[in-house]
Amino acid sequence: DVEMVVGLGADGPAAGARLLSSVTSVDQALALVDASPPAWGALTQAIYTLAAHLGPPAAPVIAVVVDSDRGALHIKDALELLAVLPSDEALDLLLAHRGRTYVAPYLAAALRRFPRRSVRRLAAAAAAGRGEKAVMAEELLAVHLRAHPHVAAAVTTDLDDAARALVDRLLAEAGASPPSADPADLPALLTAPPWTARRSRPLVVDGLEEASTPTVLAWTEAERAAAAEAEVQPAYVGPGGWAELVERRLARPSGVDVEVMALAPDDLVRPHLATATPKVSSWSGPALTRILGRFGDDAVRFVFEAGRSGPIGLAEALLPLEGSQVAVVMAGWHARSKSIRPVARRWFDRHPEAAARDLVAPAVGRPGKDRTTAEGALRALVDLGHGEAVGRAAREHGPEAAVAVGALLAVDPLDLVPTRMPSLPAWLAPDELPPVLLAGGDAVLPAAAVGHVCLMLAISRPDAPYAGVEVVRSVADAASLAGLAAALFGQWEQAGHPPKDDWALHALGLLGDDGTGRRLGGLIGAWPAQGAAKRAATAVDALAAIGTDVALVELGRIAETVRTKSVRAAARERLAEVAEARALTPDQLADRLVPHLGLDTGGLLVLDYGPRRFLVGFDEQLRPTVADEDGAPCKSLPKPGAKDDPAVAPAAHERFRRLKKEAKPVARDQIRRLDRAMVDGRRWTAADQRALFVHHPLLRHLARGLVWGTYDEGDRLTGTFGMADDGSLVDVEDRGVVLADDAVVGIVHPVHLGPEVAPWAERFGARTLLQPFPQIEREVGILTDAEQQARTLDRFFAATFPTPRALGLAARGWERGMAGDGALQVVLRRTFAGGLTVVVDLAPGIVAAAVDEHPEQMVSAVWLDDRPADENRPEGHLPFGRLDPVSASEALRDLEVLTVS
């Protein structure tokens, strides 16, 4: 009886587990596991008991636990059982769950434990399936056959024709690898790398007095003013007011919260900055920045003591400081902290003279950790273009110091390896790595050389790869190196992503290609939902390092669509860096990274079936269209028939399937991007608009569904135009429009169209043109005269709405405020062009970790502010007339959507 067993399990786990011995069928077991409470302490023992009694048929019972919310320990126990059950069903279930958290290492264990079964099931999945799952199965099979080439012969008779042909092909490809290269033909780096040779001792200069410059502020007045307004999570003051709160927090042995010091009145804070002990958390960086901005030199000691502990958010608060203590801290972070190293490099780049002055002496002192740390900092300064500053500082310490610094900077970059080289991790299986072809493809790297390459990757840092990696890239085939990186990443993934070995993730950035970028982009999008947001944010660096246009497109998609703020922010930061390097804005970079998807200059793709051909294009919403070669529309692309060429028709049909899959996220991203461009008032020159939209094979279809406008120097609309099917520019009456290359154009917001809305709507309707997003028929909101003067928007006061509706506004650019007491987020806000933010005060508020806690919200106030950090600062409200008409219309439109009954 299920209820009896569950009851005994809750009150007496051992008794419940014993009763499970009466279970004799899979159906009984499924009912029992499904009915048992998630918190049942005997569940782990229960599934072991079921497996023992039912044997291999227990696989579906265990899969129920894998698919449940019973917690990581229970799910891992269930996966461990699947990995040891000798059944096809158990292995198939592991393969089906491969993308789920925790599964990879157990799947790898099962593949090694059952090599013959693995060949059978992987070959069947790869040969019979389609899409990503089939590709994944084929990749796993190829790796498996490299490690177990003789197993295939034992299972050949158990395979159908398609699976047998696939195994034969993969074995032939593995056996057809070129011979190993002669070591004499390889660079010395790959046969006798520096870490295998004896190293010379560095020059030492004794008796140098280390600098002891005081810690001071070095920033501009504009930086100070911005810092004083840094966004800080509000503190609960209490009935005793700020004076009582500050006094009580100062008296605590653990120190005073920096958030309190950042927000409390000046006269209560300033007297204590010289002596108070700061209490910080990982999110206290903005509070330290605000303290520094408010109190300047008086806060230097307090902020340094707080910020020197890291992590990265706190470290960034030290960027305006310089002095010997700061230099030592930054050099240490640069040498030993992967996460804070970029901050240290920013500090070096900002304070090169001070950094060199304070670090020369330890860099030429006795060998040890301090010297190694200072050497790395000086090399970083040189890498950042500050070699002259280093040279001046060295000469100030005397000729011996100048010679010693010159010697350490002259060391061959290939010789800059750790004193103690790491060992390759236990999870790395060299025999499962793919061969690495040399450039030209006539030989492969010997196994020993591949091991050296793996070590080079292991000692590389995301911001400072080992110089030997570039040597490897110059002598090896690029596709082979991408395959090696993918295999290393796969093995790291199967090992459970051990953080200490995340060099395998960064190897994708060093050696990856377009395919790597696409797959990594997909993983970054999925990881946050699996509780791996930190890994996803780290992987953003690897994606940016790949650097191809495809990788940057993926980066742009992540910056716009991933919900996790830290991942989105990391992607935006990397994109900004790439854009700056190309002398572009992030928006201009995004314009240039839209893929063509293989379309010709006319925006079409020709699919050849042999005796017949089809033309694939897109409509104005980027949905694929199909026509025959005479131009007659088809409902969809037909499947290949008996009369079609069997050599080309299936490939053409598969190409169409891939095109639809590739186009879907591109369409979503580009439609959202152009909608935002209309609202933000982005402008292009006519020459750029032609190049980026009219002549772009894909975006031309979107551009055809929009009304464009020309603007004068005051950004006033001076004319409107659209696109004809042939790409020419026409006005609303289909008369040709000719624009000078430097004319300013943009996507017209309906607020500016005025009476022209009707004729444009008529033109689009007559031609059955679809708009990619609402433009002509977009709801337009207008503030009344009274609302223009008002500091609160009372038309929405006391309106109620379901909480999920507030979450849906994220797609329109709205964000929830920071969580305060009780983890409540009590505001929604959207920042418009010009930096003005519309803030909506909610009651009771959204619980950050449980958004369904309060199913309904009420609007208690709507106001406009230019400092959204101070969410509860009524004295800072601005009159709504400060909003431009487009921003006002968009805000009203969104609030109507939010509060409509």
Side-chain angles (χ1 to χ4, degrees):
D1 183 87
V2 169
E3 291 185 5
M4 182 197 314
V5 175
V6 170
L8 284 172
D11 297 328
R18 285 196 299 273
L19 282 178
L20 289 170
S21 62
S22 63
V23 175
T24 58
S25 73
V26 170
D27 288 341
Q28 285 179 319
L30 286 171
L32 181 61
V33 173
D34 190 50
S36 62
W40 184 16
L43 181 61
T44 302
Q45 182 60 44
I47 57 178
Y48 272 107
T49 304
L50 288 171
H53 279 275
L54 300 177
V61 182
I62 299 167
V64 170
V65 180
V66 175
D67 289 326
S68 73
D69 57 354
R70 297 174 183 271
L73 291 177
H74 291 327
I75 291 174
K76 288 180 179 179
D77 285 335
L79 289 168
E80 186 175 1
L81 279 172
L82 284 178
V84 299
L85 281 179
S87 77
D88 290 357
E89 191 168 23
L91 186 58
D92 290 346
L93 284 166
L94 285 170
L95 287 169
H97 286 78
R98 184 176 186 263
R100 290 278 305 275
T101 308
Y102 314 126
V103 173
Y106 297 99
L107 172 60
L111 293 175
R112 293 189 181 104
R113 183 175 287 112
F114 305 113
R116 284 178 293 181
R117 175 176 285 110
S118 297
V119 172
R120 285 194 295 102
R121 302 314 301 158
L122 288 170
R130 57 183 299 174
E132 290 184 3
K133 290 186 177 181
V135 171
M136 177 270 293
E138 182 173 333
E139 289 176 349
L140 289 175
L141 179 61
V143 171
H144 191 71
L145 289 173
R146 280 198 298 271
H148 309 282
H150 305 298
V151 170
V155 298
T156 299
T157 56
D158 299 329
L159 304 176
D160 62 24
D161 292 344
R164 189 181 305 113
L166 175 62
V167 170
D168 290 343
R169 175 172 66 79
L170 292 176
L171 285 172
E173 290 175 357
S177 295
S180 289
D182 186 337
D185 296 331
L186 296 175
L189 175 69
L190 291 171
T191 57
W195 53 86
T196 63
R198 187 181 183 89
R199 301 179 220 180
S200 59
R201 298 179 63 83
L203 293 175
V204 174
V205 181
D206 288 320
L208 289 186
E209 182 178 350
E210 295 191 8
S212 58
T213 53
T215 304
V216 297
L217 268 168
W219 61 0
T220 66
E221 176 58 27
E223 287 180 292
R224 186 210 63 76
E229 297 295 333
E231 185 173 352
V232 178
Q233 183 166 327
Y236 175 70
V237 179
W242 280 110
E244 188 274 336
L245 176 62
V246 172
E247 182 179 356
R248 177 160 42 89
R249 296 298 174 87
L250 284 169
R252 293 189 312 186
S254 60
V256 60
D257 303 272
V258 296
E259 286 76 13
V260 171
M261 302 292 271
L263 297 171
D266 287 22
D267 59 331
L268 298 177
V269 175
R270 196 179 296 273
H272 304 289
L273 288 171
T275 57
T277 300
K279 183 177 185 296
V280 296
S281 58
S282 59
W283 56 84
S284 293
L288 294 178
T289 298
R290 189 178 179 114
I291 291 170
L292 208 56
R294 287 181 62 195
F295 301 104
D297 293 336
D298 290 346
V300 165
R301 197 270 333 167
F302 183 87
V303 170
F304 177 71
E305 290 301 320
R308 69 189 305 177
S309 61
I312 187 169
L314 306 186
E316 288 178 327
L318 303 189
L319 286 172
L321 302 179
E322 64 178 39
S324 301
Q325 287 184 306
V326 186
V328 169
V329 168
M330 291 293 175
W333 282 338
H334 182 266
R336 291 179 286 278
S337 176
K338 177 181 63 180
S339 61
I340 312 182
R341 188 175 297 122
V343 178
R345 291 179 68 85
R346 286 165 59 192
W347 185 87
F348 293 148
D349 203 24
R350 177 171 176 157
H351 307 280
E353 300 287 345
R357 174 197 65 209
D358 293 326
L359 293 170
V360 162
V364 296
R366 292 286 173 183
K369 184 177 73 173
D370 290 347
R371 172 168 177 143
T372 301
T373 299
E375 282 183 355
L378 292 188
R379 290 192 179 98
L381 283 166
V382 173
D383 290 341
L384 292 166
H386 302 299
E388 291 185 5
V390 173
R392 283 193 296 271
R395 290 190 293 274
E396 289 175 4
H397 282 79
E400 285 186 273
V403 171
V405 168
L408 73 88
L409 294 178
V411 171
D412 188 334
L414 295 178
D415 291 332
L416 296 177
V417 297
T419 304
R420 297 184 62 181
M421 286 289 292
S423 299
L424 290 175
W427 52 259
L428 197 155
D431 58 341
E432 295 182 10
L433 295 176
V436 177
L437 290 168
L438 292 178
D442 55 351
V444 299
L445 286 181
V450 173
H452 295 325
V453 173
C454 292
L455 275 174
M456 294 180 207
L457 296 170
I459 63 174
S460 292
R461 301 195 310 240
D463 60 328
Y466 172 59
V469 173
E470 192 57 39
V471 176
V472 173
R473 291 176 57 154
S474 69
V475 300
D477 174 71
S480 283
L481 290 177
L484 173 66
L488 288 168
F489 174 80
Q491 292 187 17
W492 177 71
E493 188 179 31
Q494 290 175 353
H497 311 97
K500 67 183 180 65
D501 296 325
D502 66 357
W503 58 265
L505 170 58
H506 291 293
L508 298 177
L510 295 174
L511 304 179
D513 54 13
D514 284 348
T516 311
R518 292 190 187 96
R519 297 188 67 177
L520 186 55
L523 289 171
I524 293 171
W527 277 339
Q530 300 171 6
K534 185 176 181 181
R535 187 192 314 144
T538 301
V540 164
D541 291 334
L543 188 58
I546 293 173
T548 65
D549 283 356
V550 168
L552 294 177
V553 167
E554 289 294 321
L555 201 59
R557 180 183 58 78
I558 291 163
E560 292 295 329
T561 62
V562 171
R563 292 186 177 183
T564 305
K565 190 173 183 179
S566 61
V567 179
R568 198 168 61 245
R572 288 176 178 173
E573 187 175 344
R574 299 289 88 76
L575 280 173
E577 291 170 357
V578 174
E580 184 179 4
R582 299 189 184 186
L584 300 170
T585 67
D587 281 333
Q588 289 171 333
L589 176 65
D591 286 340
R592 289 153 176 78
L593 293 177
V594 182
H596 291 195
L597 298 183
L599 305 179
D600 62 23
T601 55
L604 297 174
L605 174 67
V606 179
L607 296 178
D608 190 355
Y609 274 30
R612 51 182 181 158
R613 299 193 310 167
F614 298 92
L615 306 177
V616 176
F618 288 88
D619 66 16
E620 298 81 25
Q621 295 178 333
L622 290 190
R623 295 179 301 198
T625 62
V626 181
D628 64 23
E629 53 189 323
D630 295 324
C634 305
K635 288 186 177 180
S636 63
L637 183 70
K639 293 183 178 180
K643 295 181 179 180
D644 292 320
D645 188 333
V648 297
H653 193 270
E654 174 63 16
R655 176 70 186 91
F656 179 66
R657 186 193 68 79
R658 293 199 312 272
L659 176 68
K660 290 194 297 182
K661 182 177 179 181
E662 292 169 4
K664 191 172 182 179
V666 173
R668 182 182 62 243
D669 295 346
Q670 295 307 314
I671 290 172
R672 182 188 296 112
R673 192 171 70 88
L674 294 187
D675 189 321
R676 191 181 70 240
M678 180 187 71
V679 173
D680 292 346
R682 277 201 66 200
R683 303 291 180 249
W684 297 266
T685 65
D688 280 347
Q689 192 259 359
R690 284 194 295 270
L692 298 171
F693 296 98
V694 177
H695 299 316
H696 190 283
L698 184 65
L699 289 188
R700 64 182 297 155
H701 301 291
L702 280 182
R704 195 172 64 238
L706 295 170
V707 180
W708 296 79
T710 55
Y711 295 82
D712 63 16
E713 293 180 357
D715 203 38
R716 289 181 294 268
L717 183 67
T718 58
T720 58
F721 64 93
M723 270 182 62
D725 289 342
D726 62 1
S728 61
L729 306 184
V730 294
D731 65 13
V732 71
E733 297 178 357
D734 276 336
R735 295 175 300 207
V737 173
V738 178
L739 299 177
D741 286 350
D742 60 353
V744 177
V745 303
I747 303 170
V748 186
H749 193 280
V751 162
H752 295 144
L753 273 176
E756 289 193 68
V757 166
W760 275 110
E762 183 180 347
R763 180 183 185 276
F764 274 59
R767 290 159 179 76
T768 62
L769 286 172
L770 303 172
Q771 291 213 284
F773 53 84
Q775 182 192 23
I776 296 174
E777 297 182 357
R778 197 182 194 91
E779 304 88 344
V780 173
I782 300 175
L783 294 168
T784 66
D785 291 343
E787 287 172 335
Q788 296 248 3
Q789 305 303 318
R791 293 174 180 266
T792 58
L793 203 55
D794 293 339
R795 74 164 84 171
F796 299 103
F797 177 71
T800 60
F801 56 89
T803 298
R805 200 178 288 169
L807 310 181
L809 281 185
R812 295 176 180 252
W814 290 80
E815 296 180 339
R816 286 176 275 167
M818 292 182 297
D821 292 334
L824 276 176
Q825 296 169 312
V826 296
V827 302
L828 293 172
R829 63 192 187 210
R830 179 177 176 181
T831 300
F832 291 94
L836 297 180
T837 300
V838 176
V839 185
V840 182
D841 195 41
L842 305 177
I846 301 170
V847 179
V851 294
D852 56 352
E853 178 76 14
H854 301 301
E856 190 174 75
Q857 302 292 326
M858 183 185 75
V859 176
S860 56
V862 180
W863 70 84
L864 181 69
D865 214 327
D866 59 354
R867 291 192 287 174
D870 298 327
E871 295 170 345
N872 300 305
R873 187 173 55 84
E875 69 275 10
H877 300 170
L878 304 172
F880 272 87
R882 289 279 299 275
L883 278 176
D884 66 85
V886 169
S887 298
S889 177
E890 290 297 309
L892 292 172
R893 176 176 181 258
D894 291 347
L895 292 174
E896 290 287 353
V897 168
L898 181 69
T899 58
V900 66
S901 60

